[in-house]
Amino acid sequence: MSQPIWSKGQASVDALVQGYLAGEDVILDRELLPFDIKASQAHVKGLARIGIVSDDEATAIVAALRDIGEDFSAGKLTLDAPFEDGHSALEEWLTQRLGDVGRKVHTGRSRNDQVQVAMRLLLKHRIDQAIALVHECALAALDMAKSHQSTPLPGYTHLQRAVPTTIGAWMAGFAEAWADDLALMSDVKRFVDCNPLGTAAGHGVNLPIDRQFTTSELGFDRMQVSPQYAQNSRGTFEVQVLMALLQPLQSVRRLAWDLSLFTTAEFAFVKLPDVLTTGSSIMPNKRNPDLIELLRASPAVVQGAIGELWSIMSLPSGYHRDLQATKPPTMRGLQAAIASLSQVPTLLRSLWFDHKRIDEAMEGSMLATDKATELAADGVPFRQAYQQVGNALHELDELESEQLSKRVEASIEARNSPGGAGKLMLDEIARRIG
Ligand code: ARG
């Protein structure tokens, strides 16, 4: 490219400065380009509707944009320095193909609304992908809950043995959390589902741009009316999407932590298949749960990205080149969230439980709470029942293992408070997952 698109013939920007300005942008814009192309096609069709380009010109530009997209995916076009960004490259490539007609594409728009609309489409696409993945996570957890509905598992508080629970109850907790997260993510999708195209540099333009047309052409729910708001929402919308993705990742982190403990030799409740573990470069005896450890780290990446975004947005109204710096944390956060979520369904379905180890971890005194509650149900004031059972814990701890298993089973079955281990209400959770 000879000159930047904004050149009026004066000396061009210092090459080192130019490289710095383009920075990661030319690389990250490779992911934005397909969305930029889609939005540019809508923009040009909109220009034809108000007579700024002829129908033939619009048809030629739309077709050339499509060809550019194909050539770009086939590796025939490279987005790199010396382009300033993907938007400049697109205009340059169009002009190379169509001459002056290509130079008409930018009428009535700025790179400021151009980057916003492309990013908005990308955000919608990514949140859709994340919704589909969280749906799969929820279904996998639900299936595990169903198939291990009344299989005992020690229940902990403070990481100390507390009461008998079930694998079903443990899994149901994740299934319901992800079901709620799905609703949250859909709400956030609706929140960001508005069209900034046609707001130009943040102050509108002196053309009756058909913004309603581009809004429906691009499949947006509504128009983002105020041009200033359109600019000011750069970064804040990205944050909302990343926060919506952080929510299901928090459950992933908890699951990863649980598994990290349950797969130790000390607990040994769960085994991961060899295909999901790695070896050590020095210790021939090791199999390591690297996958669950990286899953545990993934919310940190998203959280870091959110923090970085908030810091960048300490700005006055309108466009500032600082806003370009919102792109790397956004892309990084989205990528980390989606990559991690896509690992979870297979992980869940591959868990293998060592029931012998689980039984060995069950202590008789874990029946104490249910026993005290039982006495209370028979009329003994609860505090009295608590003390009575608490003073005779040794009786529970001395139960023979067969006797203990039976008592654990009965205890679980009797835990009939809605949602409790004996009444998981998996149908209700399934209904919420949809
Ligand atoms: N690459 C730029 C960004 O991401 C595009 C907008 C540039 N606009 C400008 N007025 N220099 O922000």
Side-chain angles (χ1 to χ4, degrees):
M1 187 178 88
S2 44
Q3 291 290 331
I5 49 173
W6 43 263
S7 170
K8 291 171 289 179
Q10 62 284 62
S12 43
V13 179
D14 179 89
L16 274 179
V17 174
Q18 178 50 38
Y20 177 74
L21 294 175
E24 270 182 272
D25 222 36
V26 272
I27 294 156
L28 297 176
D29 279 1
R30 294 172 193 170
E31 199 177 325
L32 272 186
L33 204 78
F35 300 100
D36 197 352
I37 288 176
K38 216 173 145 212
S40 298
Q41 288 172 324
H43 176 65
V44 168
K45 287 186 198 168
L47 289 181
R49 288 169 74 89
I50 56 167
I52 298 296
V53 297
S54 68
D55 285 346
D56 286 350
E57 287 171 333
T59 308
I61 296 174
V62 168
L65 282 166
R66 188 203 52 222
D67 295 346
I68 288 169
E70 283 170 9
D71 286 354
F72 179 75
S73 353
K76 292 187 205 154
L77 291 169
T78 315
L79 180 52
D80 220 331
F83 288 119
E84 218 176 346
D85 49 32
H87 324 299
S88 325
L90 214 50
E91 187 170 326
E92 172 75 13
W93 291 330
L94 259 185
T95 305
Q96 281 168 8
R97 285 165 199 233
L98 302 177
D100 274 349
V101 174
R103 291 190 180 94
K104 291 189 176 188
V105 70
H106 212 57
T107 314
R109 81 169 175 191
S110 157
R111 278 180 297 166
N112 300 357
D113 63 334
Q114 191 178 354
V115 64
Q116 271 287 65
V117 68
M119 181 53 86
R120 203 61 58 84
L121 290 169
L122 174 86
L123 290 176
K124 281 181 59 183
H125 173 66
R126 289 274 177 252
I127 205 160
D128 275 343
Q129 281 183 318
I131 286 173
L133 288 171
V134 172
H135 191 250
E136 275 182 50
C137 293
L139 287 179
L142 183 74
D143 283 350
M144 292 301 278
K146 276 184 191 154
S147 43
H148 299 277
Q149 207 161 142
S150 38
T151 316
L153 185 73
Y156 295 84
T157 76
H158 310 266
L159 271 183
Q160 308 290 323
R161 288 171 185 168
V163 295
T165 184
T166 59
I167 296 173
W170 177 51
M171 281 292 133
F174 292 110
E176 185 178 348
W178 283 320
D180 272 358
D181 296 346
L182 284 170
L184 176 77
M185 292 161 90
S186 301
D187 282 351
V188 171
K189 184 184 168 194
R190 243 187 313 280
F191 176 74
V192 301
D193 198 0
C194 57
N195 178 21
L197 181 62
T199 59
H203 301 284
V205 286
N206 47 345
L207 286 175
I209 301 265
D210 194 342
R211 298 197 60 209
Q212 204 56 62
F213 166 77
T214 59
T215 298
S216 55
E217 179 77 2
L218 291 171
F220 281 109
D221 172 59
R222 64 194 186 279
M223 189 196 296
Q224 196 170 16
V225 178
S226 156
Q228 175 178 293
Y229 174 43
Q231 281 311 307
N232 289 356
S233 63
R234 184 157 182 203
T236 65
F237 277 34
E238 283 83 338
V239 161
Q240 291 311 318
V241 171
L242 289 178
M243 300 242 289
L245 268 50
L246 189 55
Q247 185 71 15
L249 276 187
Q250 172 58 17
S251 291
V252 172
R253 173 151 65 182
R254 286 234 162 84
L255 171 72
W257 244 127
D258 291 353
L259 290 174
S260 183
L261 290 169
F262 290 176
T263 53
T264 57
E266 284 68 18
F267 278 85
F269 297 167
V270 176
K271 271 205 173 63
L272 296 176
D274 281 353
V275 287
L276 298 187
T277 57
T278 54
S280 156
S281 61
I282 179 170
M283 297 169 279
N285 54 321
K286 296 289 303 289
R287 284 311 284 191
N288 295 324
D290 297 28
L291 169 64
I292 54 185
E293 290 165 344
L294 281 175
L295 287 176
R296 186 167 58 194
S298 64
V301 179
V302 180
Q303 213 176 328
I306 292 169
E308 197 175 333
L309 283 166
W310 278 128
S311 311
I312 296 161
M313 286 183 292
S314 177
L315 289 169
S317 286
Y319 180 82
H320 312 272
R321 192 69 179 259
D322 310 49
L323 290 168
Q324 179 173 296
T326 60
K327 215 181 280 175
T330 301
M331 302 290 211
R332 194 188 320 125
L334 292 171
Q335 207 275 336
I338 300 239
S340 299
L341 289 170
S342 44
Q343 294 293 329
V344 176
T346 308
L347 171 66
L348 280 170
R349 292 181 194 280
S350 318
L351 300 179
W352 183 85
F353 296 95
D354 188 335
H355 302 293
K356 191 165 164 284
R357 289 290 309 212
I358 290 175
D359 287 349
E360 283 164 8
M362 211 65 89
E363 285 169 3
S365 50
M366 293 169 81
L367 297 164
T369 309
D370 284 349
K371 184 142 196 243
T373 308
E374 232 170 75
L375 289 173
D378 288 342
V380 183
F382 181 76
R383 195 51 56 210
Q384 205 175 310
Y386 175 96
Q387 269 161 14
Q388 195 179 315
V389 176
N391 289 331
L393 288 179
H394 59 277
E395 286 174 17
L396 294 170
D397 277 333
E398 281 158 13
L399 288 170
E400 293 297 326
S401 75
E402 208 169 301
Q403 190 61 17
L404 175 60
S405 299
K406 279 198 187 123
R407 293 278 296 269
V408 163
E409 229 169 81
S411 209
I412 287 167
E413 215 179 296
R415 195 89 52 73
N416 61 357
S417 59
K423 196 180 171 103
L424 290 178
M425 299 178 65
L426 296 181
D427 288 348
E428 172 61 18
I429 295 178
R431 198 187 56 74
R432 294 187 195 180
I433 295 171

